[in-house]
Amino acid sequence: MSGMAAPSPASPADGEWAECLVPPTDPPPDLEQEIRRVVGRNTVFGPRLAHAPWVARAEVRLIDGPFAYLPRALRERIALVVAQDNSCRYCYGVQRALLRIGGHSEADVDRMVRDSHLTSLPPAERAAVDWARRIARASPRPTASDFRALLATGLDRRVALEVAALAAFASFMNRVATLIALPMEALVTLPTSPVFRVVRPLLAWSLKWRRKSPLPPPRPNDGPCARLVAELGDSPTAHVLRSMVDEACASPILPKRTKALVMAVVARALWCAYGEAEARAMLAAEGFGAADADEVLATLASPRLDAREARLVPFARETVRYQAGMVQTRIRAVCRDMTPAEAVELVGIVALANATCRLSAILPDP
Amino acid sequence: MTATVVAVAALVAAAAVLLWARRRVAGLEARLAAAAAALESLQHAFSRFAPAEVVEDIIAQGVSHRSVKKDITVLFADLKGFTPLAERLDPDVLVALLNRWVAHMSAAITAHRGHVAKLLGDGLLAHFGALEDNPWHTSDAVDAALAMRAALAELNAALAAEGLPPLAMGVGVHRGTVVAGVIGSAQLVEYGVIGSAVNLAARVEDLTRTHDVDILVTDAVRAALDRRFTLRPMPPTPVRGMSAPLATFVLA
């Protein structure tokens, strides 16, 4: 990342990765069932994220691929490229393994990465990949006029919306995996196993991704980020986003005020007026007035913050752009007095804020 | 029999051509992969000097002429009394000393989201908020200046233990609007910031000698800081290029 001590390595597989932030725990039975239904096996992420069940549930729903219009090949390419751009060793490793299970050779996967950086893609696919990378990088955050320019290239609007949703959701997953420092899933080393050729077809069949059908927009849709959910139209991503936001807000692990403060800081760091307005509304509902919010957002400090908020508020901005090793060290210091559930919820909240602010590029100008 | 021989010969020839073509393609693929890997490493390395979008622009189209006006914070730092030191010390010792100072100060700056843009002999220029949007670039810059002060104290303790003379520095911090972009020609190019804000930051650093302090900030910086920072006003002082005396504040 520019401005930081050293550039990220060219491949996330080569980067540093800390010990996992939290110990494993037993997921609640319904969550365990949902994980098995979608992923079909024991996972590393399930027991780690189960401390805050909504975060684990969000991961499962995103792994399930809630896309009705996005072609599979484009989805795979974007997931790989965004994981690489975000230097997420976990997600990059998993995505490469999934592509190998799907029948791609190692050379195919390398070519996929290479072609995403060079210009040898069809124009519409090139536009989609570039758009996804801009959403994920948010440096600067793309705006409504950038979305209009993308549509002017001829990319179908429904595909463009799902590309933005995928890039934003991938940013969520990358941040959860990186901040928690999830250990590698067993399937990442599976392609090097001597029995891989034998088990691959069976695995590929069990993991076969099927495009979802368009759905009526979620009802009710009156909580935070309602405009964003509505803009996704009949894409199944609208339902996933609605449930992520509702469950995050309803979770009792961290106080609502703390969550709203952290979300407001992420929105300010990304200059996302929409995200900041949503967070400010949540703060106002918790009795944290506009002047107090102004002070916190201008200085990342305030006598109104409690001791934990005084640590979390400045940390939230560090989740917008980071180097994996440095942010993994930082979060340990920040979460030193927090329970595993509080730490996982914090990670989920900053990841969700980063995702929704990036996704807000699809909103028309007010 | 003749037809069979001809058919076999044709098959062998076709197989040979196919084999040659496969080897050629494999060779080209390997070269392409190596070139792509080198390009990616270069891009990552260059991301330390310019925003990723600028680097990609340059790769795709040659030198990018994209520039923007931005509100940033500029920090100048300079070693005081370095010239007499240069006359006393062995050149190798002098350069090693300077490099240690640069390393400590660079670490303090990058730890606070700044970017060391230029090394200027026994000084450096850093900016905050130019390469990446940063709503808190001013407090980051001032935090960096405080970290530089602490880092210098640590360095001086180490130098004393080695029997080397201590270093002293001046730091000037100013916030203002600059033009940020790729400056230069095909032969020499850099990502830089230009404008009166940069010149003023240099003048402020100069004033640390006049006021005999180590860190000075301007009123524009003071206005953007919160109550965490303790500032003491210095007497307004005339500076070259400004019509009115410049008000500055020393950072406690």
Side-chain angles (χ1 to χ4, degrees), chain B residues 172-188:
Chain B
V173 185
H174 176 56
R175 172 189 176 133
T177 304
V178 301
V179 171
V182 177
I183 300 164
S185 66
Q187 285 74 39
L188 180 64

Side-chain angles (χ1 to χ4, degrees), chain B:
Chain B
M1 176 74 170
T2 309
T4 310
V5 168
V6 168
V8 167
L11 268 170
V12 168
V17 167
L18 262 170
L19 190 63
W20 171 84
R22 273 187 71 177
R23 280 195 182 150
R24 190 166 154 76
V25 166
L28 286 171
E29 284 255 2
R31 283 166 66 183
L32 189 56
L39 179 63
E40 202 176 313
S41 290
L42 204 62
Q43 273 184 282
H44 277 277
F46 269 103
S47 69
R48 294 166 68 185
F49 303 101
E53 289 74 20
V54 172
V55 174
E56 283 171 2
D57 245 7
I58 291 172
I59 289 167
Q61 300 165 42
V63 175
S64 164
H65 298 287
R66 195 193 335 188
S67 55
V68 290
K69 260 194 184 161
K70 283 191 111 164
D71 183 54
I72 69 167
T73 304
V74 182
L75 181 152
F76 268 93
D78 193 57
L79 282 171
K80 292 178 180 175
F82 199 68
T83 307
L85 210 59
E87 285 160 8
R88 275 171 40 208
L89 293 178
D90 181 86
D92 287 344
V93 173
L94 184 77
V95 169
L97 204 60
L98 181 59
N99 288 343
R100 283 167 79 176
W101 176 77
V102 168
H104 276 73
M105 299 305 114
S106 297
I109 288 165
T110 50
H112 292 87
R113 294 164 210 91
H115 174 72
V116 178
K118 265 198 221 300
L119 296 180
L120 307 157
D122 58 357
L124 57 83
L125 157 67
H127 47 69
F128 297 75
L131 293 191
E132 293 172 344
D133 284 343
N134 176 0
W136 305 285
H137 54 83
T138 303
S139 53
D140 281 346
V142 174
D143 277 328
L146 290 169
M148 289 164 74
R149 175 189 278 167
L152 183 63
E154 204 180 291
L155 175 60
N156 280 337
L159 294 176
E162 295 163 28
L164 287 168
L167 299 174
M169 75 178 173
V171 177
V173 185
H174 176 56
R175 172 189 176 133
T177 304
V178 301
V179 171
V182 177
I183 300 164
S185 66
Q187 285 74 39
L188 180 64
V189 73
E190 65 177 22
Y191 184 83
V193 295
I194 49 175
S196 57
V198 180
N199 302 332
L200 189 52
R203 303 276 180 272
V204 173
E205 188 278 315
D206 243 351
L207 284 178
T208 60
R209 286 163 180 75
T210 308
H211 297 305
D212 195 23
V213 295
D214 64 339
I215 305 173
L216 279 178
V217 307
T218 59
D219 195 49
V221 169
R222 184 201 58 78
L225 296 179
D226 61 272
R227 64 194 87 175
R228 274 186 302 139
F229 300 96
T230 307
L231 300 167
R232 191 164 41 89
M234 302 306 291
T237 311
V239 294
R240 185 163 45 98
M242 291 197 69
S243 52
L246 182 65
T248 55
F249 301 81
V250 64
L251 194 59

Side-chain angles (χ1 to χ4, degrees), chain A residues 329-347:
Chain A
T329 302
R330 276 288 294 139
I331 196 170
R332 280 183 185 286
V334 166
C335 292
R336 61 182 181 269
D337 300 327
M338 292 168 70
T339 65
E342 289 168 338
V344 173
E345 174 134 299
L346 169 69
V347 166

